[in-house]
Amino acid sequence: MSTPTEPNSAGAIDVAAWRERIRSDTLSNYHFVMGRSFRRLGDTEQAIQAFRRAIDANPEHALAYGLLADCLRAARRPEADDIHCTALSLEPRYAAAAAAIDLADQASHLQHRDPGSALALLERAYALDPAGDARSIVVDVLLQMADPLTHSDPATALLTLEKGALMFPDNPGILAQLGRAYDVTERWDEAIHCFEASLRIAPGQMSLLFRLATTLNEACRFEETITIDRHVPTPPPPEIASLHLYQAMALIGLNRGGEAVRLLQSSPSQSTSALATLGLAHLAAGEIDQAEDTLTRAMKIEAQHPAILGWLGLTQQRRGHFEQALDLHNRAIKAAPSLIMSRFDRALTLEAMNRRTEALEEHRHVLSHVRRGLEYYIRTRPWAAAGTLRTYQDLGLALMR
């Protein structure tokens, strides 16, 4: 007899049976997770009921039988031994898996208060059941731990995820999250390596592809951004226009503004991000009128969009309308005070106005927040790149890697 995902004697997959199997597995795992939660909280009766529901949904769920037997023993129920035997008949190593799950649950409880102890528990859990049912639970807890730590405590996040990658070198979720942790610490080469490895294992992750494109651009690896669709040869049509935004920024960084304009016009979009990027592309191509028209249209859609305000300011600066440019930069900074790009663009206008002291103060502010990413800002304003690079060299800073 074939399983639901194998062809039957007629050579066809039983789609109805396949869907039913997915439904029952999902329902069973939901009750199994609930049972573990009740058990961790000490509510044995609720845990027993949840594990029984998990078994009703999937009578082959060995771990549900095993943890049910443990709960029944705790409640001094006579059927505990029979349930335990059923668990062993389904999975002889269930005891190791159950012990590993217990450790993973303890780690989950400790993850926010004591990440180091939680990680040690997860390593023990993995050692107990490296290839069994506990794997996915250990991965889930690792990712739950690492996600908030990536921004609040990047060093601990990196330690957690690097150990996770040693345990699960082929898990796309672990690799992707490790890449994000490297990205936050501006270790872009390592981040790119992790993102690409994750995409090789699970190619359909469009959000990760966009994150890879962002990181490639920040690292000024523009040629790789331009060919990034090699990771997803047939991206979904709605995502093509989004992908073109990253590729257009790469072309701008290579001082190929005209190509960026043509690329964006090949998949026209009226979103504010698309219009803003098209405006910058026109600006990079020296097409000042088209840049102003495009950015003005974008501002009618979203009047306080900081990139639109800042890039419209650069357009006015290139026309020699310095006061209007400075007003737009100030509005961009007010709309998003933490967006360093707006301060960088304001510095360019202050330089054009020959307000050198103020420009240097802005550049110092930029440098206090951004180091490696500075090259990206410079190269995506190609008309000002040479002068801006000299400014930073005058500050005694080595910019290029």
Side-chain angles (χ1 to χ4, degrees), residues 55-138:
I55 291 165
D56 287 342
N58 178 10
E60 297 179 0
H61 200 313
L63 281 173
Y65 279 104
L67 296 184
L68 174 59
D70 290 346
C71 290
L72 290 169
R73 281 199 194 93
R76 300 183 184 279
R77 301 280 184 83
E79 66 267 37
D81 288 344
D82 289 341
I83 298 292
H84 175 74
C85 290
T86 303
L88 285 173
S89 70
L90 290 169
E91 173 50 74
R93 294 191 67 258
Y94 104 82
I101 288 172
D102 275 344
L103 290 172
D105 284 343
Q106 292 174 46
S108 179
H109 186 64
L110 285 173
Q111 62 177 297
H112 301 301
R113 290 188 289 111
D114 189 352
S117 295
L119 180 57
L121 287 168
L122 290 173
E123 289 182 291
R124 286 171 56 197
Y126 173 77
L128 278 171
D129 192 35
D133 292 324
R135 282 176 63 92
S136 62
I137 296 169
V138 173

Side-chain angles (χ1 to χ4, degrees), residues 78-399:
E79 66 267 37
D81 288 344
D82 289 341
I83 298 292
H84 175 74
C85 290
T86 303
L88 285 173
S89 70
L90 290 169
E91 173 50 74
R93 294 191 67 258
Y94 104 82
I101 288 172
D102 275 344
L103 290 172
D105 284 343
Q106 292 174 46
S108 179
H109 186 64
L110 285 173
Q111 62 177 297
H112 301 301
R113 290 188 289 111
D114 189 352
S117 295
L119 180 57
L121 287 168
L122 290 173
E123 289 182 291
R124 286 171 56 197
Y126 173 77
L128 278 171
D129 192 35
D133 292 324
R135 282 176 63 92
S136 62
I137 296 169
V138 173
V139 168
D140 288 346
V141 178
L142 273 169
L143 291 174
Q144 289 167 18
M145 283 177 57
D147 189 35
L149 288 171
T150 297
H151 293 282
S152 65
D153 187 354
T156 302
L158 279 172
L159 174 65
T160 300
L161 289 162
E162 284 171 345
K163 290 192 173 183
L166 289 173
M167 291 186 276
F168 307 102
D170 297 323
N171 184 279
I174 294 283
L175 290 168
Q177 192 64 37
L178 178 56
R180 293 184 185 100
Y182 282 133
D183 196 13
V184 166
T185 55
E186 294 190 354
R187 291 171 60 177
W188 288 323
D189 292 338
E190 293 102 320
I192 290 164
H193 173 78
C194 290
F195 292 152
E196 290 181 333
S198 181
L199 284 164
R200 280 194 296 272
I201 297 165
Q205 305 172 80
M206 291 306 299
S207 62
L208 185 61
L209 187 72
F210 297 147
R211 185 66 179 259
L212 171 61
T214 300
T215 307
L216 286 168
N217 279 349
E218 287 174 335
C220 297
R221 289 167 58 169
F222 297 124
E223 295 286 0
E224 292 172 72
T225 308
I226 292 168
T227 60
I228 198 170
D229 43 10
R230 68 191 182 280
H231 293 290
V232 184
T234 54
E239 308 289 8
I240 292 174
S242 297
L243 202 56
H244 283 176
L245 299 182
Y246 299 96
Q247 293 172 315
M249 289 302 295
L251 287 166
I252 292 168
L254 292 168
N255 202 11
R256 291 156 59 181
E259 290 178 65
V261 169
R262 291 189 291 277
L263 176 67
L264 292 167
Q265 289 176 336
S266 71
S267 57
S269 169
Q270 295 302 305
S271 73
T272 50
S273 295
L275 288 171
T277 307
L278 178 59
L280 184 65
H282 281 303
L283 197 58
E287 299 165 354
I288 310 301
D289 290 341
Q290 294 94 321
E292 183 174 8
D293 176 66
T294 302
L295 290 164
T296 301
R297 280 192 290 131
M299 197 163 68
K300 288 177 181 176
I301 300 171
E302 193 171 343
Q304 298 304 312
H305 192 296
I308 295 169
L309 289 166
W311 293 345
L312 193 55
L314 292 178
T315 303
Q316 295 305 311
Q317 179 233 101
R318 296 198 70 190
R319 286 193 182 283
H321 301 161
F322 297 129
E323 291 301 332
Q324 295 96 313
L326 202 56
D327 177 65
L328 286 160
H329 293 313
N330 291 338
R331 287 168 60 189
I333 293 166
K334 184 178 179 180
S338 63
L339 186 63
I340 302 303
M341 179 183 71
S342 299
R343 304 293 293 263
F344 179 82
D345 288 339
R346 185 174 186 271
L348 296 185
T349 292
L350 287 167
E351 281 191 17
M353 297 171 75
N354 206 28
R355 290 164 61 170
R356 184 76 173 161
T357 301
E358 292 171 82
L360 286 174
E361 282 304 309
E362 285 287 29
H363 285 310
R364 287 192 180 96
H365 178 84
V366 170
L367 282 168
S368 70
H369 291 80
V370 176
R371 289 281 176 168
R372 290 191 68 192
L374 191 57
E375 183 183 350
Y376 171 69
Y377 288 166
I378 293 172
R379 291 183 61 176
T380 51
R381 297 355 176 230
W383 62 89
T388 309
L389 181 56
R390 281 195 298 274
T391 296
Y392 284 104
Q393 287 172 332
D394 288 346
L395 290 172
L397 294 154
L399 295 179

